[in-house]
Amino acid sequence: MPPFTESDNPQQYPFRKYAHMYILAILGITWTIIFRDVYLQQYLKDKMYISRTVNLGGRQRMLSQKLTKNAVLLRQVDAHEFEERKRIVQEDFEDWSQVHYDLQHGNKRLNIPSQNSAEIRAKFNELNPYFNGMSAVILDILQIPYGDPSLDAAVNKLLKVERDYLDSMDKVVFQYDHEAVQKMKKLNHLQWVMLIVALAILALEVVFIFWPTTAHIRKITDKLGESEQQAKRMYHELQGLYGKLEKAYKNEQAINSAIGKEHILGRMNPQGKLIYASKKLADWMGHERNALLIHFEDVFVTNNHEPGVLSAALSEAQSGELWHDQLLLHDADGNDLWLDVSLVPVSGNGKRVEKILILGANITTVKLLAAERATLELDEVQSAFKTHKERASFILFAQEEERKRIARDLHDGIGQMLTALKFELEAIDPYNGKRTEIKLAELRQPLRDLIIEVRRISHNLNPNVLTDYGLIPALRNFAKEMTQYSGKSIIFENQSGFNQRLSQITETNLYRIVQEAVNNALKYSEGECIEIVVAHNRTDLTIVIKDNGEGFDLSSVKEGNGLGNIRERTSYANGQCEIITSPTNGTQITVKVPI
């Protein structure tokens, strides 16, 4: 904005001065808010990292205790369960070691920061010897065979090192929590400073801008009051002139438009009797021209208006006004005839209407095309509605089938196991110590089977590995679990090394597709091997599920809700689904989705 000079209007100077001051005040408040919000966002991001890190620290405690517990149980199990328990210890040890590394060096995928404070790094330096000690003992335990006496010594050593590890891990977690509290205090202090600065700027605006501006505006308002009264008088005078001009312009425009796009169909006297009928009108109506020299209302018998419309039109034309509408008539053969009709009055020297021109255009084809288009649009809407209903039915059926499967698993699996355990426990004689000890030993295997069944059902409902680590680890774990559960060979292969994370809804849909396809193969194919193959390129991810079972004739079999559910989930992921099958040649389902 240029500075004020003497040649400017003196009344404009206060506004320019206040405008400069107001802009500076607004900029001050704006930068205060921006600075506060940027700092707050950074704090919330750090708080999210710390919360995630504290949760992982708690998980490390749980995993270390779980490792120790399973190591202790190795001394109490038989040879078969010994190997299964070692496998669990191996998996937990890998997770425990990975999280320990991520806490120190960061993991973008898990939102763990890569830079720790000097205090936290010092705490980790104290923790690492205990971690290394536990790691070495666990690795030694994993190498000890069943029945080796050295297992007891290794387990005792692990119990001793674990206590030191837990104490040191608590110090790391407490340091993270302490740093979070300090950042919160700093944030609160900064918010108070920003609030005081904003209030001070607002107070200065009131004193040096708003109050002087209000006084100056009050003076100008008094002067504007006089001008307002004069403007109102001029407005009313101009309104009358504009109304007359607009009416004349509309009539001229309507006449020019009608003459430009329509034919002259006829001419009639002011009483409404046709004194001339064009050949075009006679051809459209299918009558002789002389037969049309009758009253206007007898010629243009309309079927799309209420009675009296033509009389009103004639009266309007007799008063010198232009009339226009679309009329549905019938020709001599009874066919529909749509005409776009205008009545244009023609006045003489005395401004009386001497004759009325009938202008019109045949719009029958346009009307028929519009009706056909409306029918097509209605068909499209009905088709889309039908497709939506089918998709909804697939979803409802899939949900109902999932409920039935859960109920069946609970009844046939856990329910029967619990019933058997109940009868076994009731059969125990508390007064027969030896027999009671034998019975309790026999109950260990059913209890282990019950735990495995509960884990399987929980994993099928919501696999935690899918949420935490992504699609590929979840599919690999699913193949391993289903192999153990079904006794069939379920092979997972990641041909292209795909390791990206997709959106949560896409990963869930792809996991459920594979789950549905594998369950269908186990239920119907009677094959011995099922393969899950993942491959990707720059734009697409492809998942193939194939079995060596019986297969079926896809062209002669209506797709059930299982295959329909697979297609619908693929559609929700904006992908493509292909099913290839034939009798005795197995079934292959290929799903391709964009990355």
Side-chain angles (χ1 to χ4, degrees), residues 237-247:
E237 294 175 359
L238 291 175
Q239 190 176 27
L241 295 175
Y242 280 133
K244 295 178 180 179
L245 181 61
E246 183 180 5
K247 182 177 179 180

PDB file of all heavy atoms in Angstrom, residues 237-247:
ATOM      1  N   GLU A 237     -37.529   5.818  -8.857  1.00  0.00           N
ATOM      2  CA  GLU A 237     -37.790   6.347 -10.201  1.00  0.00           C
ATOM      3  C   GLU A 237     -37.169   5.422 -11.271  1.00  0.00           C
ATOM      4  O   GLU A 237     -37.803   5.105 -12.279  1.00  0.00           O
ATOM      5  CB  GLU A 237     -37.197   7.756 -10.323  1.00  0.00           C
ATOM      6  CG  GLU A 237     -37.892   8.780  -9.423  1.00  0.00           C
ATOM      7  CD  GLU A 237     -37.214  10.134  -9.483  1.00  0.00           C
ATOM      8  OE1 GLU A 237     -36.194  10.236 -10.209  1.00  0.00           O
ATOM      9  OE2 GLU A 237     -37.682  11.070  -8.805  1.00  0.00           O
ATOM     10  N   LEU A 238     -35.939   4.986 -11.030  1.00  0.00           N
ATOM     11  CA  LEU A 238     -35.279   4.110 -12.006  1.00  0.00           C
ATOM     12  C   LEU A 238     -35.926   2.727 -12.073  1.00  0.00           C
ATOM     13  O   LEU A 238     -35.926   2.086 -13.124  1.00  0.00           O
ATOM     14  CB  LEU A 238     -33.796   3.956 -11.646  1.00  0.00           C
ATOM     15  CG  LEU A 238     -32.935   5.203 -11.837  1.00  0.00           C
ATOM     16  CD1 LEU A 238     -31.522   4.955 -11.324  1.00  0.00           C
ATOM     17  CD2 LEU A 238     -32.883   5.587 -13.313  1.00  0.00           C
ATOM     18  N   GLN A 239     -36.485   2.263 -10.957  1.00  0.00           N
ATOM     19  CA  GLN A 239     -37.099   0.933 -10.943  1.00  0.00           C
ATOM     20  C   GLN A 239     -38.274   0.872 -11.909  1.00  0.00           C
ATOM     21  O   GLN A 239     -38.470  -0.124 -12.619  1.00  0.00           O
ATOM     22  CB  GLN A 239     -37.548   0.594  -9.518  1.00  0.00           C
ATOM     23  CG  GLN A 239     -37.982  -0.859  -9.355  1.00  0.00           C
ATOM     24  CD  GLN A 239     -38.314  -1.185  -7.922  1.00  0.00           C
ATOM     25  OE1 GLN A 239     -38.701  -0.303  -7.156  1.00  0.00           O
ATOM     26  NE2 GLN A 239     -38.177  -2.447  -7.559  1.00  0.00           N
ATOM     27  N   GLY A 240     -39.081   1.932 -11.934  1.00  0.00           N
ATOM     28  CA  GLY A 240     -40.203   1.957 -12.865  1.00  0.00           C
ATOM     29  C   GLY A 240     -39.733   1.954 -14.313  1.00  0.00           C
ATOM     30  O   GLY A 240     -40.290   1.247 -15.158  1.00  0.00           O
ATOM     31  N   LEU A 241     -38.694   2.723 -14.612  1.00  0.00           N
ATOM     32  CA  LEU A 241     -38.178   2.757 -15.982  1.00  0.00           C
ATOM     33  C   LEU A 241     -37.570   1.421 -16.393  1.00  0.00           C
ATOM     34  O   LEU A 241     -37.779   0.947 -17.512  1.00  0.00           O
ATOM     35  CB  LEU A 241     -37.121   3.867 -16.091  1.00  0.00           C
ATOM     36  CG  LEU A 241     -37.631   5.307 -15.880  1.00  0.00           C
ATOM     37  CD1 LEU A 241     -36.471   6.286 -15.903  1.00  0.00           C
ATOM     38  CD2 LEU A 241     -38.657   5.676 -16.968  1.00  0.00           C
ATOM     39  N   TYR A 242     -36.835   0.789 -15.499  1.00  0.00           N
ATOM     40  CA  TYR A 242     -36.221  -0.513 -15.811  1.00  0.00           C
ATOM     41  C   TYR A 242     -37.266  -1.593 -16.045  1.00  0.00           C
ATOM     42  O   TYR A 242     -37.096  -2.483 -16.884  1.00  0.00           O
ATOM     43  CB  TYR A 242     -35.281  -0.935 -14.689  1.00  0.00           C
ATOM     44  CG  TYR A 242     -33.915  -0.268 -14.751  1.00  0.00           C
ATOM     45  CD1 TYR A 242     -33.348   0.292 -13.608  1.00  0.00           C
ATOM     46  CD2 TYR A 242     -33.211  -0.216 -15.940  1.00  0.00           C
ATOM     47  CE1 TYR A 242     -32.108   0.907 -13.650  1.00  0.00           C
ATOM     48  CE2 TYR A 242     -31.972   0.403 -15.997  1.00  0.00           C
ATOM     49  CZ  TYR A 242     -31.423   0.964 -14.856  1.00  0.00           C
ATOM     50  OH  TYR A 242     -30.199   1.578 -14.914  1.00  0.00           O
ATOM     51  N   GLY A 243     -38.373  -1.549 -15.288  1.00  0.00           N
ATOM     52  CA  GLY A 243     -39.432  -2.538 -15.472  1.00  0.00           C
ATOM     53  C   GLY A 243     -40.030  -2.456 -16.863  1.00  0.00           C
ATOM     54  O   GLY A 243     -40.241  -3.487 -17.524  1.00  0.00           O
ATOM     55  N   LYS A 244     -40.310  -1.249 -17.318  1.00  0.00           N
ATOM     56  CA  LYS A 244     -40.881  -1.097 -18.650  1.00  0.00           C
ATOM     57  C   LYS A 244     -39.871  -1.534 -19.722  1.00  0.00           C
ATOM     58  O   LYS A 244     -40.232  -2.188 -20.700  1.00  0.00           O
ATOM     59  CB  LYS A 244     -41.277   0.375 -18.871  1.00  0.00           C
ATOM     60  CG  LYS A 244     -42.398   0.842 -17.942  1.00  0.00           C
ATOM     61  CD  LYS A 244     -42.714   2.306 -18.183  1.00  0.00           C
ATOM     62  CE  LYS A 244     -43.838   2.782 -17.246  1.00  0.00           C
ATOM     63  NZ  LYS A 244     -44.154   4.217 -17.452  1.00  0.00           N
ATOM     64  N   LEU A 245     -38.606  -1.150 -19.535  1.00  0.00           N
ATOM     65  CA  LEU A 245     -37.591  -1.517 -20.512  1.00  0.00           C
ATOM     66  C   LEU A 245     -37.392  -3.032 -20.575  1.00  0.00           C
ATOM     67  O   LEU A 245     -37.233  -3.621 -21.650  1.00  0.00           O
ATOM     68  CB  LEU A 245     -36.274  -0.813 -20.153  1.00  0.00           C
ATOM     69  CG  LEU A 245     -35.091  -1.066 -21.093  1.00  0.00           C
ATOM     70  CD1 LEU A 245     -35.419  -0.569 -22.495  1.00  0.00           C
ATOM     71  CD2 LEU A 245     -33.834  -0.386 -20.558  1.00  0.00           C
ATOM     72  N   GLU A 246     -37.406  -3.704 -19.424  1.00  0.00           N
ATOM     73  CA  GLU A 246     -37.204  -5.155 -19.389  1.00  0.00           C
ATOM     74  C   GLU A 246     -38.347  -5.886 -20.085  1.00  0.00           C
ATOM     75  O   GLU A 246     -38.138  -6.861 -20.810  1.00  0.00           O
ATOM     76  CB  GLU A 246     -37.082  -5.620 -17.930  1.00  0.00           C
ATOM     77  CG  GLU A 246     -36.808  -7.107 -17.795  1.00  0.00           C
ATOM     78  CD  GLU A 246     -36.685  -7.535 -16.347  1.00  0.00           C
ATOM     79  OE1 GLU A 246     -36.910  -6.683 -15.447  1.00  0.00           O
ATOM     80  OE2 GLU A 246     -36.365  -8.706 -16.113  1.00  0.00           O
ATOM     81  N   LYS A 247     -39.585  -5.446 -19.873  1.00  0.00           N
ATOM     82  CA  LYS A 247     -40.730  -6.084 -20.496  1.00  0.00           C
ATOM     83  C   LYS A 247     -40.643  -5.955 -22.023  1.00  0.00           C
ATOM     84  O   LYS A 247     -40.882  -6.922 -22.760  1.00  0.00           O
ATOM     85  CB  LYS A 247     -42.016  -5.438 -19.984  1.00  0.00           C
ATOM     86  CG  LYS A 247     -43.269  -6.073 -20.532  1.00  0.00           C
ATOM     87  CD  LYS A 247     -44.497  -5.431 -19.915  1.00  0.00           C
ATOM     88  CE  LYS A 247     -45.775  -6.057 -20.473  1.00  0.00           C
ATOM     89  NZ  LYS A 247     -46.991  -5.425 -19.877  1.00  0.00           N
TER      90      LYS A 247
END
